[in-house]
């Protein structure tokens, strides 16, 4: 029972329409609803405006669709078209954000700056009509503010908000924004042409400018008059890979920088400081280009190799059997036996003995290791239950790949030396033989004997100065000058040529009971680990 008057009394009924059995439980939008009321004894028929109203009930979140970014590289102000729709034709706001791909932390969304405004608002669009069939809009993003002087891959996110609820954010595809001006290099070729090239190193005068003052990397290529410059890779990652690969450098005609060094005396000041007197005299020209970031190499007082483990604060090695230098030789990969029946490859810093990383592990007693041709992996020979096997260890990831074993080719014996012939073959000294192993077809590995009846063949290295030749050490070979010899072997004809090595003073065998071999000075210097005749198990490195 409600009070009334001639002028009418206003009342409000709170209707929980979502509770009605014929209407959506989630209060989503339903158009074309008529709401009417009747009074006992009053008008019973439906009259719009008198006792009835036609309306829509509920609300749906607004939706952003068709947000498409340009497929090409962009800079400055960028227009991105999109549409926003709302089933009840609401007035909505639209928030626009961007995320730099690869940023840390990732997915860090920031508000995008609309063009021609002084500050970034919370909503790039405020109070726009979102029709049920969609309203077309275009957002003009000022990347010169948000990504000033940068080149980045980004994505945008559009979110529409009506007076009741916020819609789901819609992300775009990747957009490449480049607001970084390209650096410019100018080659002063007039000075280059007149250079006499007297020292095998041609100075190439040039200048580099960059609008943002960024650090740049420069690559020089050469060509003959009748050639075109080879095309460089298109990404920095591929270019860096090419620079690290001697074969690609040759194919791409990339100039190799001539090593420039100056030498002098080091005067210690404290544990981390030295004085370099020559910078004030004979090496003063180094100061012209600055010395920050240059490498200082402090040489040992003696040029003879010396044991360094005694100077280490701790020794991470247990029973090393091979060491392979990395780069300039400051670090090395060492094949070690931490326990009976297992091996590991570790990287150590040679000056301090510090363990840099443990690269890989495997079963078996380690024998020898060598770089696989290409320099991205090493070959590890080991013995498991007195049967040899060879594994590949990837230097970057540490992944271990079994390649070939004694059971695969039916060749018993002990591997003492390994030399890589490529990614699918190697030379090994096996028992009393020099053998070529081939695993190009993984289901059909093969072994071919190149020389047999050798006297305890040990180390083997390829001769870089004669293609198709290798050096082999025969530890127990008997000769007029003593026991042991090193021979040079033609891998095609199997011809054997002894290496003549005279002792200092002109008498006696120089290479006694040779074991492991290595080459230095691009193959012109042979290093041999020799067992001494004393029978005390001592050895000596000879060159």
């Amino acid at each position: 029972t409600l009070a009334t008057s001639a002028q009418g009394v206003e009342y409000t009924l709170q209707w929980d329409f979502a509770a009605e059995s014929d209407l959506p439980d989630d209060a989503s939008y339903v158009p074309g609803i008529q709401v009417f009321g009747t009074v006992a004894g009053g008008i019973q028929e439906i009259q719009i405006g008198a006792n009835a109203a036609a309306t829509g009930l509920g609300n749906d979140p607004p939706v952003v669709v068709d947000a498409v970014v340009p497929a090409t590289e962009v800079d400055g102000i960028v227009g991105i078209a999109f549409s926003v729709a709302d089933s009840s034709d609401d007035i909505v706001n639209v928030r626009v954000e961007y995320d730099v791909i690869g940023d840390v932390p990732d997915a860090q969304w920031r508000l995008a700056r609309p063009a021609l405004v002084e500050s970034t608002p919370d909503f790039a669009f405020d109070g726009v009509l979102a029709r049920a069939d969609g309203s077309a809009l275009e957002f003009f993003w000022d990347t010169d503010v948000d990504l000033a002087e940068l080149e980045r891959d980004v994505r945008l996110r559009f979110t529409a908000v009506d007076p009741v609820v916020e819609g789901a954010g819609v992300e775009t595809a990747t957009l490449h924004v480049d607001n970084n001006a390209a650096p410019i290099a100018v080659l002063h070729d007039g000075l280059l042409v007149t250079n006499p090239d007297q020292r095998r190193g041609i100075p190439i005068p040039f200048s580099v400018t960059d609008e943002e003052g960024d650090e740049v990397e420069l690559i020089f290529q050469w060509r003959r008059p009748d050639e075109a410059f080879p095309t460089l890779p298109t990404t920095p990652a591929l270019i860096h890979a090419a620079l690290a690969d001697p074969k690609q450098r040759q194919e791409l005609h990339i100039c190799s920088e001539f090593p420039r060094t100056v030498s002098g005396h080091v005067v210690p000041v404290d544990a981390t400081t030295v004085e370099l007197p020559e910078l004030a005299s004979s090496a003063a020209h180094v100061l012209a280009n600055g010395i920050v970031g240059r490498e200082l190499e402090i040489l040992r007082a003696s040029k003879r190799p010396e044991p360094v483990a005694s100077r280490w604060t701790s020794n991470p090695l247990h029973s090393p059997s091979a060491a392979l230098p990395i780069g300039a030789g400051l670090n090395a990969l060492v094949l070690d036996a931490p326990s009976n029946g297992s091996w590991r490859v570790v990287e150590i810093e040679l000056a301090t003995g510090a363990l840099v990383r443990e690269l890989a592990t495997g079963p078996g007693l380690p024998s020898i290791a060598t770089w696989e041709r290409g320099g991205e992996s090493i070959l590890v020979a080991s013995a498991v239950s007195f049967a040899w096997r060879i594994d590949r260890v990837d230097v970057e990831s540490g992944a271990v790949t079994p390649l070939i074993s004694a059971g695969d080719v039916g060749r018993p014996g002990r591997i003492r030396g390994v030399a890589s012939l490529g990614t699918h073959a190697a030379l090994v000294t096996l028992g009393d033989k020099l053998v070529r192993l081939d695993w190009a077809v993984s289901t059909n590995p093969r072994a071919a004997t190149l020389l047999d009846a050798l006297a305890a063949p040990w180390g083997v290295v390829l001769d870089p100065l004669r293609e198709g030749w290798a050096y082999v050490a025969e530890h127990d070979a008997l000769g007029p000058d003593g026991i042991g010899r090193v021979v040079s072997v033609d891998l095609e004809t199997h011809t054997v040529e002894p290496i003549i090595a005279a002792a200092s003073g002109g008498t006696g065998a120089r290479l006694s009971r040779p074991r492991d071999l290595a080459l230095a000075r691009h193959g012109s210097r042979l290093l041999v680990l020799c067992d001494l005749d004393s029978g005390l198990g001592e050895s000596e490195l000879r060159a």
Side-chain angles (χ1 to χ4, degrees):
T1 302
L2 302 176
T4 65
S5 71
Q7 291 77 28
V9 179
E10 184 173 318
Y11 294 93
T12 301
L13 172 68
Q14 296 293 340
W15 177 29
D16 185 6
F17 59 86
E20 303 294 349
S21 60
D22 292 335
L23 293 176
D25 294 340
D26 60 357
S28 58
Y29 182 70
V30 180
I33 297 296
Q34 286 187 332
V35 180
F36 65 96
T38 61
V39 177
I43 303 173
Q44 298 301 304
E45 67 273 13
I46 298 174
Q47 294 183 7
I48 301 298
N51 66 347
T55 184
L57 292 177
N59 185 74
D60 292 327
V63 178
V64 173
V65 294
D66 300 330
V68 180
V69 296
T72 57
E73 180 179 278
V74 298
D75 57 24
I77 295 176
V78 184
I80 298 101
F82 67 100
S83 295
V84 60
D86 191 286
S87 58
S88 51
D89 294 329
D90 281 339
I91 301 297
V92 302
N93 301 334
V94 181
R95 182 170 58 245
V96 183
E97 303 162 289
Y98 72 96
D99 170 45
V100 178
I101 296 175
D103 251 6
V104 178
D106 201 14
Q108 183 177 357
W109 294 99
R110 307 173 181 90
L111 291 173
R113 172 74 68 90
L116 306 177
V117 298
E118 295 298 325
S119 61
T120 305
D122 291 337
F123 295 101
F125 296 87
D126 193 0
V128 297
L129 173 63
R131 294 188 297 270
D133 57 352
S135 299
L137 300 172
E138 186 166 8
F139 173 64
F140 291 93
W141 182 23
D142 193 345
T143 66
D144 274 331
V145 173
D146 292 335
L147 299 172
E149 301 180 352
L150 297 176
E151 181 178 2
R152 297 289 187 269
D153 286 326
V154 299
R155 52 187 173 179
L156 293 166
R157 181 170 69 181
F158 292 80
T159 306
V161 181
D162 71 12
V164 178
V165 68
E166 180 175 303
V170 174
E171 298 180 16
T172 68
T174 300
L175 173 66
H176 187 75
V177 180
D178 185 3
N179 288 322
N180 184 38
I184 300 173
V186 177
L187 185 67
H188 306 300
D189 54 352
L191 298 176
L192 173 64
V193 171
T194 59
N195 188 278
D197 182 22
Q198 295 177 343
R199 298 183 179 180
R200 294 180 52 245
I202 304 175
I204 303 177
F206 65 94
S207 59
V208 181
T209 58
D210 185 80
E211 185 174 321
E212 294 83 18
D214 293 335
E215 290 188 354
V216 301
E217 294 179 276
L218 221 63
I219 297 174
F220 288 90
Q221 291 176 280
W222 61 272
R223 67 175 178 87
R224 295 182 176 87
D226 56 344
E227 295 177 333
F229 284 107
T231 303
L232 288 172
T234 55
T235 67
L238 293 176
I239 289 177
H240 290 156
L243 293 175
D245 184 351
K247 184 177 181 181
Q248 288 193 66
R249 290 180 67 96
Q250 184 178 13
E251 293 172 349
L252 295 172
H253 288 192
I254 294 176
C255 300
S256 297
E257 186 173 359
F258 188 76
R260 295 185 300 161
T261 61
V262 294
S263 59
H265 298 83
V266 172
V267 181
V269 175
D270 54 37
T272 60
T273 310
V274 297
E275 289 183 355
L276 307 176
E278 281 74 17
L279 290 179
S281 56
S282 60
H285 65 277
V286 176
L287 300 175
N289 295 319
I291 62 173
V292 175
R294 291 180 178 266
E295 186 175 275
L296 177 65
E297 184 177 21
I298 301 178
L299 304 180
R300 296 183 185 276
S302 171
K303 293 184 178 180
R304 291 184 57 134
E306 297 176 2
V308 294
S310 60
R311 303 178 188 176
W312 296 349
T313 56
S314 62
N315 190 341
L317 304 176
H318 297 272
S319 180
S321 57
L324 304 174
I326 301 174
L330 301 181
N331 288 12
L333 297 177
V334 180
L335 178 62
D336 191 25
S339 62
N340 289 332
S342 68
W343 58 262
R344 66 173 184 164
V345 177
V346 296
E347 180 181 347
I348 64 169
E349 186 180 49
L350 294 176
T352 65
L355 179 63
V356 178
R357 58 172 176 159
E358 182 171 293
L359 183 63
T361 60
L365 182 66
S367 300
I368 194 68
T370 189
W371 283 103
E372 189 172 32
R373 184 170 290 186
E376 296 181 356
S377 55
I378 64 174
L379 301 179
V380 174
S382 61
V384 179
S385 300
F386 303 101
W388 60 264
R389 59 180 286 170
I390 295 179
D391 297 287
R392 173 188 291 131
V393 177
D394 185 274
V395 173
E396 184 69 25
S397 65
V400 179
T401 304
L403 298 178
I404 193 170
S405 67
D408 295 331
V409 291
R411 291 292 185 99
R414 175 191 172 193
I415 288 183
R416 297 189 183 94
V418 179
S420 173
L421 294 173
T423 56
H424 300 296
L427 288 178
V428 298
T429 51
L430 181 60
D432 65 347
K433 299 175 177 59
L434 176 65
V435 179
R436 176 191 168 103
L437 301 177
D438 192 318
W439 56 87
V441 181
S442 59
T443 57
N444 184 30
R446 293 175 295 171
T449 300
L450 304 185
L451 291 174
D452 58 6
L454 297 174
W458 211 293
V460 55
V461 291
L462 299 179
D463 185 354
L465 301 180
R466 290 199 295 176
E467 185 70 25
W469 287 73
Y471 294 110
V472 178
E474 283 190 275
H475 185 269
D476 297 340
L478 296 176
D481 298 324
I483 300 176
R485 67 172 184 168
V486 177
V487 297
S488 186
V489 179
D490 186 333
L491 302 179
E492 293 294 331
T493 65
H494 307 170
T495 302
V496 176
E497 297 179 357
I499 300 297
I500 306 301
S504 56
T507 60
R510 181 58 179 154
L511 302 178
S512 173
R513 294 181 173 88
R515 285 196 287 143
D516 297 301
L517 303 179
L519 292 171
R521 297 177 183 172
H522 306 289
S524 63
R525 182 179 175 90
L526 180 66
L527 303 177
V528 186
L529 189 64
C530 295
D531 288 334
L532 300 181
D533 298 338
S534 62
L536 300 178
E538 296 179 348
S539 58
E540 185 175 76
L541 180 66
R542 298 178 178 179

